Amino acid sequence: MPWNDPAHIEHVPRPIVAVGNEYPPDFELDWHMHRRGQLLYALRGVVVVSTPHGAWVAPPERAIWTPGGCRHAVRMVGAVSTRSVLVEPGVPGSLGDANKVISISPLLRSLLETACDIEPLYDVASRDGLVMTLLLAELARAPTVPLAVPFPKTAAMARKCQAFIEHPTPHDTIDQWSADLGMGRRAFTRAFRRETGLSFGAWRQQACLLIALPRLAAGDAVTTIALDLGYESPAAFTTMFKRLIGVAPSHYRQPSLGGE
C-alpha cells in the first residue's frame, strides 16, 4: 500500500498519521480534499495552499493547517520536501475548522520528521505512540503567524482580491477599489473588514507577503520585489517584512543563477 499518499492512510485507525513526500520544482496538486485535517510542512522549499476562501503560504519554519473537508490546491515553489500529518477531527492537537499558518519550533520540526518514519499502524502504547502523542501536544501550542490572505464572501470583492494576487496593482487605493466595485468608500471598508477580518491595508500587506515569499524562494532580488510591490525602497519593504515575519526577506531568498 502506498503509505506516501494521504488518501490511503486517512482511514487508518489512529488519531494522527504522518506522511513525507518529495516534489519536483513547480509541481502542483489539483483541487482535492481530505476527511482529516492536514498540517503541511515544507522541510525544504515553499508551499502555497489555495482554497475557495483565500490563500496561505508557508516557507521553511512555517506550516499550513487545512481543516478536514476543505477543498484546496497546492503549489510547490522550487523542489519541495514535505512532511505532513493528518489528524482526526476533535482530537486534542487538531487545529480547528479554519485554515491557518503556524510556526514550527525546532522540537516540532524534529517530531514531524520522526513521525514520517513511523508506520501508520503504529502501536499506540509504544515509543512510536508516545512520539505521536507529543506531536499532538506540540501542535496544540504552536503559535499562529500572519501568512494568510482570506478572501471576502462577496463574489465581486473576492474576484478583485484574486486578481490582485495574480497581477498585483500595489498603487491602487481604497477609493479605486470601492469605485471599481460600485461601492462607497465607507461601505467598502466596513464590508471588507467584516468579511476578511482585516483592514484593506493589512490585507494588502498580507497579500504582498504571499506574493513575495515564492519570489524570494525562486531567487528574485529583494530590490526588484520591493519595487514591483509598490514600496518606495527595499528598506521600507524589509521593515514591513520583518515586522510581520520576524526575519529579513534575505532569510528566505535562495541565490539565483543570475545573482542580484
Side-chain angles (χ1 to χ4, degrees):
M1 181 176 291
W3 291 126
N4 65 333
D5 183 350
H8 287 92
I9 61 175
E10 280 212 285
H11 298 284
V12 171
R14 297 293 183 272
I16 178 172
V17 288
V19 59
N21 276 299
E22 306 294 325
Y23 295 99
D26 304 319
F27 187 84
E28 295 189 15
L29 292 169
D30 203 358
W31 291 92
H32 64 286
M33 69 175 67
H34 307 290
R35 183 184 63 80
R36 298 180 182 226
Q38 182 187 35
L39 184 79
L40 182 62
Y41 171 60
L43 189 66
R44 181 183 72 252
V46 172
V47 294
V48 180
V49 172
S50 300
T51 81
H53 314 295
W56 290 258
V57 59
E61 300 154 19
R62 305 289 188 266
I64 301 170
W65 171 257
T66 303
C70 176
R71 290 183 67 248
H72 60 286
V74 184
R75 177 166 60 92
M76 314 296 172
V77 181
V80 175
S81 177
T82 64
R83 303 293 181 268
S84 66
V85 292
L86 294 152
V87 185
E88 281 286 355
V91 168
S94 174
L95 296 177
D97 297 328
N99 296 82
K100 64 184 70 175
V101 177
I102 66 168
S103 181
I104 299 296
S105 67
L107 174 57
L108 190 47
R109 173 189 170 116
S110 295
L111 288 168
L112 286 166
E113 290 187 72
T114 301
C116 289
D117 293 328
I118 293 175
E119 286 292 320
L121 284 167
Y122 56 86
D123 180 354
V124 295
S126 68
R127 173 189 175 277
D128 290 344
L130 292 173
V131 167
M132 292 303 201
T133 298
L134 180 56
L135 175 52
L136 285 170
E138 287 299 302
L139 287 178
R141 65 190 298 272
T144 301
V145 292
L147 288 171
V149 186
F151 292 162
K153 295 181 176 63
T154 302
M157 292 173 67
R159 286 195 298 269
K160 188 76 172 169
C161 291
Q162 182 67 53
F164 180 91
I165 290 174
E166 293 175 358
H167 302 286
T169 50
H171 297 292
D172 283 0
T173 63
I174 290 177
D175 290 330
Q176 190 165 347
W177 275 50
S178 57
D180 289 347
L181 293 165
M183 302 173 68
R185 177 189 173 97
R186 180 172 293 182
F188 169 77
T189 56
R190 287 179 175 174
F192 197 91
R193 183 183 288 275
R194 183 176 64 250
E195 296 189 23
T196 66
L198 298 169
S199 69
F200 178 73
W203 184 91
R204 188 161 54 182
Q205 285 188 339
Q206 303 284 71
C208 285
L209 288 177
L210 179 81
I211 296 161
L213 279 162
R215 291 187 60 181
L216 289 166
D220 286 7
V222 174
T223 298
T224 302
I225 297 171
L227 296 178
D228 286 350
L229 293 178
Y231 285 84
E232 294 181 356
S233 68
F237 172 72
T238 297
T239 297
M240 179 279 295
F241 196 99
K242 290 178 70 174
R243 179 170 57 83
L244 294 179
I245 303 294
V247 296
S250 57
H251 181 78
Y252 292 118
R253 185 176 180 274
Q254 299 297 319
S256 65
L257 293 177
E260 288 285 346

